[in-house]
Amino acid sequence: MEENAWKYASSFNFNPHKFLRVNFDLSAMWVKDKRDIVGAFFTDPVYLQHGHQGSVEDYRHWQIPLGRRFRVLKLWFVLRMFGVEKLQEHIRHQVKLAREFKALVMSDQRFTIEAEVILGLVCFRMKGTNTQNKELLDKINKSGKIHMIGTELKGRYILRFAVCAATTESCHILYAWQVIQDCAIEISDGVNGYKNGIHSNGQNGTLSNGENGTAEACISPD
């Protein structure tokens, strides 16, 4: 990706409540030329006119609702509390955790990575049919231990594993992967030659992230 690719964008929107430790909800939007958005939403009936028009930014012209919740105050407090460097450190840690999960998925021959892992989202699926992957997701969520959502990519049903909670650590990644494996075992017998609950890279339940640890070391699956 080009380093300065942003210069080709006319707008950019993201959710600080997902990656910047801000409570739900908060979306931040940047526009290159505000005339584009103001021209689309401009409204100026007589009963909304006031003596400061033109001297301050009137955000009623930036959206459909006339009023705005002061969500930016939450972001201001977070920036003041953590500072830029701590937030950068937090994001890098979350990205590292996503890569740890990617490595676990790639170590198990029953699964494939379906899209490039860039930030905190890992898109993967179990080798098999779309129906089997939907069944896998259903079992994962019904377990009540972790929650995931699915989507479709080029006609293939995939599972989305998102790292974004402020307190997530490596032990939680291992625990989530153990839950996913346990659910996969229930529906993967006879698929791709896997039998009787063989885990990960064939080492009988050992999670191969280089630490030879299991999820139970941090959180009990019960």
Side-chain angles (χ1 to χ4, degrees):
M1 180 180 294
E2 184 178 339
E3 183 177 353
N4 296 319
W6 59 268
K7 66 184 180 182
Y8 300 111
S10 58
S11 64
F12 179 75
N13 187 87
F14 74 104
N15 298 320
H17 64 252
K18 293 182 177 178
F19 233 14
L20 286 180
R21 307 181 70 103
V22 179
N23 290 339
F24 184 85
D25 63 331
L26 173 64
S27 292
M29 182 176 65
W30 168 84
V31 292
K32 180 179 292 185
D33 188 345
K34 69 178 183 181
R35 292 175 297 182
D36 292 336
I37 193 168
V38 171
F41 295 112
F42 185 83
T43 178
D44 195 32
V46 173
Y47 59 86
L48 291 178
Q49 295 178 6
H50 53 84
H52 298 286
Q53 291 190 180
S55 60
V56 296
E57 194 67 63
D58 199 332
Y59 288 105
R60 76 167 184 261
H61 302 313
W62 288 58
Q63 60 185 17
I64 295 176
L66 296 177
R68 294 172 62 88
R69 291 167 53 194
F70 197 25
R71 293 182 179 93
V72 70
L73 188 60
K74 297 188 292 187
L75 179 58
W76 184 85
F77 277 121
V78 169
L79 292 173
R80 293 286 293 177
M81 180 176 180
F82 293 99
V84 173
E85 291 185 1
K86 286 295 184 181
L87 290 174
Q88 290 174 330
E89 180 181 315
H90 171 68
I91 292 174
R92 290 174 182 136
H93 179 62
Q94 301 267 290
V95 172
K96 175 178 175 292
L97 293 176
R99 294 182 185 277
E100 288 181 12
F101 183 79
K102 173 187 175 182
L104 291 171
V105 174
M106 293 180 66
S107 72
D108 191 324
Q109 298 179 30
R110 293 173 298 175
F111 294 89
T112 61
I113 296 294
E114 293 295 306
E116 183 181 1
V117 179
I118 300 175
L119 293 174
L121 177 65
V122 182
C123 295
F124 70 103
R125 77 193 306 266
M126 185 173 66
K127 293 178 181 178
T129 66
N130 287 344
T131 299
Q132 288 171 326
N133 279 276
K134 291 178 181 178
E135 182 182 354
L136 173 60
L137 180 63
D138 186 58
K139 286 183 178 293
I140 291 170
N141 290 336
K142 284 184 177 179
S143 74
K145 297 176 180 178
I146 62 174
H147 181 78
M148 297 173 58
I149 62 174
T151 189
E152 286 192 0
L153 179 65
K154 298 180 180 179
R156 292 158 64 87
Y157 191 84
I158 63 176
L159 283 66
R160 303 171 76 253
F161 184 87
V163 180
C164 56
T167 57
T168 303
E169 297 293 345
S170 294
C171 57
H172 303 119
I173 302 300
L174 289 170
Y175 176 67
W177 178 237
Q178 190 72 65
V179 172
I180 294 168
Q181 286 189 309
D182 290 343
C183 292
I185 289 169
E186 297 179 19
I187 62 176
S188 64
D189 286 349
V191 177
N192 298 325
Y194 276 77
K195 297 285 186 179
N196 302 321
I198 296 176
H199 282 204
S200 197
N201 60 353
Q203 298 180 0
N204 297 323
T206 300
L207 295 175
S208 57
N209 69 333
E211 299 177 0
N212 293 324
T214 62
E216 289 82 359
C218 178
I219 301 177
S220 170
D222 297 326

